[in-house]
């Protein structure tokens, strides 16, 4: 075999072994450089993902690789590769940080005061605030901190509204 390869020029040998690669040696080296640049770009993009995106990517990658759903479930649940069980949700309950202020009902006599108060903590106009109050039960403000939500609830309860913090 060695005698045959010495007699055949390397370009012809490459063409016969790899017919799809009828490239010159220069273009072959540039395609290798392009592949390493592509891998560097992919690695940089993966490193720039936030934890939620990384989690979603790992599930998508596993599905594309043909992993079974049970293997994906154990990976997404946070099981270690050694097979130990993930910590239970009851062991570490997550504390809620953002709350929604919900108007359940109100006294008809206090409707105007409630509309004024709703306008004070939202950026709504008079008509929008009135419509929001009249559509009770409904959310007045979403995604507020606990302290801000409790302040709003106290103000609205003082003027005759039934409000909850969810």
């Amino acid at each position: 075999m060695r005698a045959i390869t010495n007699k055949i020029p390397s370009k012809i040998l490459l063409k016969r072994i790899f017919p799809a690669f009828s490239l010159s040696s220069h273009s072959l080296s540039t395609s290798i450089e392009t592949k390493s640049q592509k891998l560097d770009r992919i690695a940089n993009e993966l490193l720039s993902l936030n934890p939620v995106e990384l989690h979603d990517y790992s599930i998508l990658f596993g599905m594309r690789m043909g992993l079974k759903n049970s293997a994906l479930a154990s990976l997404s649940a946070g099981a270690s590769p050694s097979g130990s069980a993930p910590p239970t949700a009851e062991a570490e309950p997550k504390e809620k940080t953002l709350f929604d202020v919900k108007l359940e009902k109100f006294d008809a006599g206090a409707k105007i005061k409630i509309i004024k108060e709703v306008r004070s903590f939202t950026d709504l106009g008079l008509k929008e605030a009135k419509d929001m109050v009249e559509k009770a039960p409904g959310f007045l403000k979403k995604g507020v901190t606990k302290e801000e939500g409790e302040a709003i609830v106290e103000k609205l309860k003082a003027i005759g509204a039934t409000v909850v913090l969810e």
Side-chain angles (χ1 to χ4, degrees):
M1 177 82 177
R2 190 164 206 193
I4 295 173
T5 58
N6 287 340
K7 293 179 182 177
I8 301 173
S10 61
K11 288 182 185 179
I12 296 173
L13 184 62
L14 277 175
K15 285 181 184 178
R16 287 190 183 183
I17 296 173
F18 303 109
F21 292 105
S22 60
L23 306 170
S24 67
S25 62
H26 174 49
S27 63
L28 187 61
S29 66
T30 56
S31 69
I32 292 171
E33 290 173 1
T34 306
K35 288 181 182 180
S36 69
Q37 289 172 351
K38 182 178 179 181
L39 292 175
D40 285 341
R41 181 184 53 79
I42 291 170
N44 288 334
E45 287 180 15
L46 287 174
L47 290 172
S48 69
L49 295 177
N50 66 38
V52 174
E53 291 170 326
L54 278 174
H55 174 74
D56 292 341
Y57 173 76
S58 67
I59 292 173
L60 177 65
F61 187 74
M63 292 170 88
R64 294 242 174 117
M65 293 298 293
L67 295 177
K68 293 182 180 179
N69 289 338
S70 61
L72 288 175
S74 66
L75 286 175
S76 66
S80 66
S82 64
S84 63
T88 61
E90 297 160 349
E92 295 180 26
K94 292 182 181 179
E95 188 174 327
K96 191 172 180 180
T97 57
L98 296 177
F99 297 87
D100 301 332
V101 179
K102 182 177 182 181
L103 175 66
E104 292 187 337
K105 59 183 180 178
F106 59 90
D107 294 332
K111 181 177 173 182
I112 295 173
K113 292 179 186 177
I114 295 170
I115 293 171
K116 287 181 182 179
E117 191 61 39
V118 168
R119 289 189 66 206
S120 71
F121 64 83
T122 61
D123 294 330
L124 298 175
L126 181 61
K127 183 179 184 317
E128 292 86 5
K130 179 180 179 255
D131 291 342
M132 184 181 284
V133 170
E134 288 176 345
K135 290 180 183 177
F139 291 102
L140 299 177
K141 193 163 185 179
K142 294 183 177 184
V144 297
T145 62
K146 186 173 185 175
E147 295 81 21
E148 183 182 358
E150 288 176 345
I152 294 170
V153 168
E154 290 302 317
K155 288 179 185 177
L156 290 172
K157 282 185 177 180
I159 57 176
T162 305
V163 185
V164 292
L165 196 61
E166 293 183 352

